[in-house]
Amino acid sequence: MKNKIFLLIFIVPMLVFSQQKQPKVGLVLSGGGAKGFAHIAVLKEIDKAGVQLDYIGGTSMGAIVGALYAVGYSGLEIEEIVQKIDFISLLRDELPRSTSTFFEKEYGEKTKITLPVTKGSLGLPRAVSKGQNILNLLFELLDSTEDVTDFSKLPIPFFCIATDVENGGAVLLEKGSLPLALRASGSFPTLLNPVILEDKLLVDGGIANNFPVSVMKSKDMDIVIGVDVEGRLYEKEKLTSAIAILNQIVSYKMYAKTKQEKLKLDVYIHPDIFEYSVVDFDRKNEIINKGEQEVKNFKKIFREIATKQIIKKERKPIIINRKKRYISDINIIGAKEYTRAFVLGKLKIKEGDSVYREEISRRINLLSATKNYERIVYSLKKQKDASYQLTFTLKETKENATLSLGAHYDLLYKSGVLASYKQKNLLNKNDLLALDVVLGDNLRYNLSYFVDNGFYISYGFRSRYDHFRDNAKFNLVASQVPNVTNINLNYTDITNQLFVQTTFNRKFALGLGVEHKYISAKTATITTNNNETILDDSNYYSLYGYLRLDTYDKKYFVTKGYFADLNFKWYTASSDFNNNFRSFSQAKGTLGFATTFGDRLTFQNTNEAGFTFNNPTSDVFDFYVGGYNQNFINTFVSFYGYEFADLSNDSFVKSEFNLRYRFYDKHYATAIANYGRLDDNVFKDIEIFKNIKSGYALGYSYDSLIGPIELKYSWSPDTKQNYWLFNLGFWF
């Protein structure tokens, strides 16, 4: 009797279930860039209906969304992830200024147009972005797949498609690094750089097979659901540009292939997203809503599929390891042109550190900001003692030289066109040569050679030629000659420096060096025997040191951070045009900070001071205050309300208060007040507020592609004078 009961309870149900085939369900998600956000709505509905997916495949954005679901994220969790991401910044590989090297902060940020130079030939960038930020994010999101190299072993088996650039063929990716596979599948041409995997140069899979239904069918799926977010070919009236025509031509094969693939589907879902483009990432909510509207029509079908899936696998929620990993060993692969010390110095990571995965991404940003690498990949391998081996695999860029172009106009240097050439690995590993040449009304150049040794002391050489002509008081002559208030000043400076430097956290730079400086100052306003008056024509030699701090979030239109530039020079010798040189020294410093109230109103304060010890015999080393230029050399200091070099003496103090309001994107209104005092020693008595000079300015600024465009009205109650000031482009 007991045996019969056993048969009834256990054997009979098994026989019944065996007669009902458990349908295997596959999901295919097409590529479509930002339009792929509509996939999220379908996944949320699949979750609600209780449909169990046995395989997921996709291309480009479909691959990324599908992979997140395959590793354990729910549709709702994927939506939350997408809502938090600034896709525009992500795709542009934008990095905070804090990741920039100190060299870049000091000598870069002069242009926004940069072209690669390869073997002496000028080229074009392969894409807008290298995609490093996307790769970092994928490593963070796919933390649980660290040890999975076979995508069929994921919680839901998965595959994606990329395109081989050499032959245009589809490449099936189902093994290896999942983050790298997704990065390759989503390498939209011109937007993201191609990815090299197993000696193949791969781009977006949508070119070869944007809707891989056949591949899914080959996985023995009984029911295949497909979500198509492709657009459609444009009518001739809309083909009004070369880019539109090129996209149309590229789309012929893709749409023809998709037309064949969708015939093999059991369930075909195509949200009405035709009004959106592949780069409409800022319209993600609208696109998700379009997906939700369309998937409502498939609720019943999803429920029917779910009821046929009698045997349910438990779908475990994804578990992300948010703990710090103790790093017991660091391995670096691919370091050829840049030393291990350079790499680790930029990453600021060493054996014995404990780090979060998100922190590793931030450290990679520091290395990526050097612009020396096409791709930086890492892996964490758990050791027997529960510590981790951290391995970085680097792909160094072959583009070691770049040419940047810029334009500028101001009232002192007049017009200028900048050609900035940078060459890496010229003489040494870790070195950088930067040459800026300004062609225009005043020829100038700035040459820098720097060897960056990371953890260790770095060193370099700088050479600069600066020249301008201007009508200025320059009181060393004008005050001594009756009826002369201004002179036509012809000023030339050539400076050469050798220095050693060390940096801390990319915020501080501490340096020591020796300097040669040639100064020529002369005027034709006052002549002797028909010859122009020479104010100085001497070579000077000095020892110098500096301490700099820069945490400003931007070089222009700062919103937060601190800045300091403190330097000291001891002039020890001179060729001495006047034959009366004596040793002297000067200290000059700048301290500033900025803070923002809300999102639009920024307050910035800048304080400067300069002192001369053992008064030099040449007056060219007086501090000359006035004007508004941002790239003054030597002892020239800007000051609103006064003209260039209107004020001068052996020492000065100055404070500037800048209130800037962003009333529209990249448009600013500015109110400025500055106060200062000059004397042979501004602190010689307690009346430090005596004879205070003041000036004010109101202005409008626009943060353009070529740099700041500024128009300001400036005046001073001291002189009752007023001026219009204009600047176009980055200062250089």
Side-chain angles (χ1 to χ4, degrees):
M1 185 66 179
K2 290 182 178 180
N3 290 337
K4 291 180 180 179
I5 294 173
F6 176 83
L7 288 172
L8 288 172
I9 296 174
F10 294 98
I11 303 300
V12 174
M14 291 179 64
L15 291 173
V16 173
F17 291 151
S18 68
Q19 300 302 313
Q20 299 179 347
K21 183 181 179 183
Q22 171 85 4
K24 293 182 179 179
V25 180
L27 176 67
V28 180
L29 305 177
S30 83
K35 294 181 289 185
F37 294 140
H39 293 315
I40 298 171
V42 177
L43 291 173
K44 291 196 305 184
E45 196 58 46
I46 284 174
D47 285 338
K48 290 178 184 177
V51 175
Q52 176 178 284
L53 298 179
D54 297 284
Y55 229 112
I56 299 178
T59 298
S60 196
M61 182 62 83
I64 294 172
V65 173
L68 292 175
Y69 193 83
V71 303
Y73 291 99
S74 68
L76 185 60
E77 288 172 328
I78 297 173
E79 183 177 27
E80 291 172 351
I81 291 170
V82 165
Q83 294 292 359
K84 294 177 182 177
I85 296 173
D86 179 355
F87 282 91
I88 302 301
S89 296
L90 190 73
L91 288 168
R92 289 176 179 169
D93 258 354
E94 290 182 0
L95 296 174
R97 188 170 183 264
S98 58
T99 65
S100 297
T101 63
F102 217 93
F103 185 92
E104 183 67 19
K105 289 179 180 179
E106 191 170 8
Y107 295 102
E109 303 176 311
K110 299 173 183 175
T111 67
K112 287 188 178 180
I113 302 174
T114 300
L115 302 173
V117 178
T118 305
K119 296 181 179 179
S121 298
L122 193 64
L124 294 173
R126 288 192 291 175
V128 173
S129 165
K130 293 180 180 179
Q132 185 64 50
N133 283 357
I134 294 175
L135 192 57
N136 291 348
L137 178 63
L138 289 172
F139 271 104
E140 292 175 25
L141 295 174
L142 301 172
D143 176 88
S144 62
T145 69
E146 180 71 50
D147 300 321
V148 179
T149 56
D150 183 346
F151 304 165
S152 67
K153 304 299 182 185
L154 293 170
I156 300 176
F158 172 81
F159 70 83
C160 62
I161 303 294
T163 300
D164 189 331
V165 177
E166 287 188 303
N167 54 39
V171 178
L172 178 63
L173 300 175
E174 46 189 355
K175 292 184 182 297
S177 165
L178 182 57
L180 270 178
L182 297 177
R183 170 66 182 81
S185 181
S187 295
F188 191 85
T190 71
L191 188 60
L192 295 172
N193 275 1
V195 173
I196 295 178
L197 281 180
E198 298 180 356
D199 293 328
K200 293 180 179 179
L201 187 64
L202 304 180
V203 294
D204 196 294
I207 297 172
N209 190 352
N210 200 44
F211 206 24
V213 179
S214 296
V215 179
M216 184 60 75
K217 282 288 187 180
S218 71
K219 303 296 183 182
D220 296 325
M221 295 295 106
D222 300 298
I223 300 173
V224 178
I225 303 169
V227 187
D228 180 8
V229 294
E230 288 182 5
R232 54 191 170 199
L233 294 174
Y234 290 109
E235 297 174 350
K236 60 179 178 296
E237 291 78 13
K238 294 184 178 180
L239 298 174
T240 57
S241 69
I243 294 176
I245 294 173
L246 182 61
N247 286 336
Q248 184 91 334
I249 294 171
V250 171
S251 299
Y252 294 154
K253 179 182 177 182
M254 180 175 70
Y255 290 161
K257 177 73 173 177
T258 295
K259 187 176 181 180
Q260 298 171 6
E261 292 288 283
K262 68 184 182 182
L263 295 175
K264 303 169 187 177
L265 286 169
D266 299 290
V267 181
Y268 176 65
I269 305 172
H270 196 177
D272 180 12
I273 39 73
F274 299 111
E275 65 178 284
Y276 302 99
S277 74
V278 294
V279 293
D280 277 337
F281 294 100
D282 57 338
R283 303 176 71 183
K284 52 191 170 188
N285 289 327
E286 298 175 34
I287 296 171
I288 293 173
N289 288 336
K290 288 288 186 180
E292 290 173 346
Q293 293 172 20
E294 180 65 21
V295 80
K296 289 177 182 177
N297 302 321
F298 295 86
K299 286 184 176 183
K300 184 178 178 181
I301 295 174
F302 286 169
R303 286 196 296 268
E304 290 176 355
I305 293 173
T307 57
K308 293 179 181 179
Q309 295 178 308
I310 300 171
I311 302 173
K312 299 286 187 180
K313 297 178 183 177
E314 182 184 2
R315 182 165 166 78
K316 298 180 180 179
I318 189 167
I319 299 175
I320 300 177
N321 185 349
R322 301 192 182 281
K323 296 180 180 179
K324 286 187 174 183
R325 273 89 157 187
Y326 177 79
I327 308 301
S328 59
D329 184 38
I330 298 177
N331 188 25
I332 296 176
I333 300 172
K336 299 176 182 178
E337 300 295 337
Y338 301 92
T339 64
R340 177 183 174 90
F342 175 88
V343 173
L344 294 180
K346 298 304 175 189
L347 288 167
K348 303 199 72 65
I349 192 169
K350 59 184 183 298
E351 293 171 1
D353 287 348
S354 294
V355 293
Y356 298 106
R357 187 177 284 274
E358 292 83 357
E359 192 172 351
I360 296 176
S361 293
R362 289 195 293 271
R363 304 292 179 89
I364 287 176
N365 286 343
L366 298 176
L367 185 60
S368 181
T370 64
K371 302 177 184 178
N372 296 335
Y373 302 93
E374 288 288 339
R375 189 176 74 207
I376 304 167
V377 178
Y378 71 95
S379 63
L380 287 163
K381 185 176 181 181
K382 196 169 186 177
Q383 307 295 298
K384 292 181 180 179
D385 60 358
S387 66
Y388 287 83
Q389 181 190 60
L390 176 57
T391 299
F392 290 99
T393 302
L394 312 174
K395 179 174 174 51
E396 297 176 344
T397 180
K398 295 180 181 179
E399 298 169 352
N400 286 333
T402 60
L403 178 66
S404 299
L405 303 173
H408 179 81
Y409 178 84
D410 65 70
L411 299 178
L412 177 65
Y413 286 99
K414 310 301 180 184
S415 61
V417 175
L418 171 71
S420 179
Y421 177 79
K422 292 182 180 179
Q423 172 76 56
K424 299 176 181 179
N425 308 128
L426 181 67
L427 303 175
N428 255 307
K429 289 186 176 183
N430 311 343
D431 73 359
L432 171 63
L433 174 74
L435 173 62
D436 295 345
V437 177
V438 180
L439 304 174
D441 292 305
N442 291 280
L443 179 67
R444 291 174 284 156
Y445 79 76
N446 190 11
L447 173 68
S448 299
Y449 177 77
F450 186 60
V451 179
D452 190 338
N453 286 323
F455 281 137
Y456 307 113
I457 297 294
S458 302
Y459 59 91
F461 168 76
R462 302 185 187 109
S463 179
R464 184 193 67 219
Y465 169 80
D466 201 300
H467 173 264
F468 62 82
R469 294 174 180 269
D470 192 68
N471 288 319
K473 282 189 176 179
F474 220 70
N475 73 330
L476 57 103
V477 170
S479 63
Q480 301 170 12
V481 181
N483 303 319
V484 175
T485 57
N486 286 69
I487 61 172
N488 188 322
L489 177 66
N490 186 342
Y491 191 96
T492 299
D493 172 275
I494 300 175
T495 300
N496 300 296
Q497 297 176 330
L498 285 171
F499 66 95
V500 293
Q501 175 179 291
T502 186
T503 59
F504 307 93
N505 297 322
R506 303 202 176 196
K507 298 178 181 178
F508 287 94
L510 176 64
L512 297 171
V514 295
E515 176 185 271
H516 158 260
K517 181 183 292 290
Y518 167 73
I519 294 180
S520 170
K522 51 192 175 182
T523 180
T525 304
I526 304 167
T527 60
T528 303
N529 298 324
N530 293 322
N531 294 320
E532 59 185 356
T533 298
I534 298 176
L535 312 177
D536 200 341
D537 187 19
S538 306
N539 294 282
Y540 295 91
Y541 304 90
S542 66
L543 304 175
Y544 72 96
Y546 58 87
L547 174 64
R548 294 174 183 142
L549 164 71
D550 189 350
T551 67
Y552 279 164
D553 61 338
K554 300 176 184 178
K555 188 166 186 175
Y556 301 95
F557 307 111
V558 183
T559 63
K560 61 181 179 180
Y562 297 89
F563 179 84
D565 183 2
L566 310 176
N567 60 78
F568 181 84
K569 288 186 179 180
W570 177 27
Y571 289 89
T572 58
S574 172
S575 61
D576 194 6
F577 168 74
N578 291 311
N579 295 316
N580 59 353
F581 173 81
R582 62 173 177 266
S583 177
F584 69 97
S585 56
Q586 282 190 320
K588 186 173 181 291
T590 302
L591 299 173
F593 79 93
T595 186
T596 296
F597 306 95
D599 294 328
R600 296 180 177 273
L601 184 62
T602 297
F603 173 73
Q604 185 175 355
N605 172 235
T606 305
N607 303 285
E608 296 182 66
F611 303 91
T612 306
F613 304 93
N614 193 17
N615 189 29
T617 54
S618 174
D619 288 337
V620 296
F621 289 99
D622 282 2
F623 291 100
Y624 292 91
V625 178
Y628 77 112
N629 281 58
Q630 302 302 307
N631 56 345
F632 283 149
I633 57 172
N634 296 334
T635 54
F636 294 102
V637 180
S638 63
F639 197 85
Y640 289 98
Y642 285 80
E643 287 192 284
F644 170 65
D646 261 3
L647 307 170
S648 64
N649 218 311
D650 290 337
S651 68
F652 82 98
V653 291
K654 169 201 164 185
S655 289
E656 178 179 303
F657 304 91
N658 188 318
L659 201 60
R660 184 170 55 250
Y661 182 75
R662 181 172 59 84
F663 60 89
Y664 193 67
D665 186 34
K666 297 185 179 181
H667 294 262
Y668 301 86
T670 305
I672 301 171
N674 54 201
Y675 306 93
R677 182 170 183 252
L678 294 91
D679 206 330
D680 54 353
N681 181 353
V682 292
F683 295 124
K684 67 182 178 181
D685 53 45
I686 60 174
E687 297 180 351
I688 60 174
F689 295 105
K690 182 180 178 181
N691 296 324
I692 294 294
K693 308 297 182 181
S694 63
Y696 304 89
L698 294 174
Y700 160 79
S701 302
Y702 173 59
D703 188 8
S704 74
L705 180 64
I706 61 172
I709 299 175
E710 300 176 294
L711 180 64
K712 295 174 182 175
Y713 175 73
S714 172
W715 75 96
S716 172
D718 308 333
T719 62
K720 312 302 181 185
Q721 297 293 316
N722 54 76
Y723 313 95
W724 282 100
L725 309 173
F726 178 71
N727 163 64
L728 170 68
F730 296 105
W731 291 96
F732 48 71

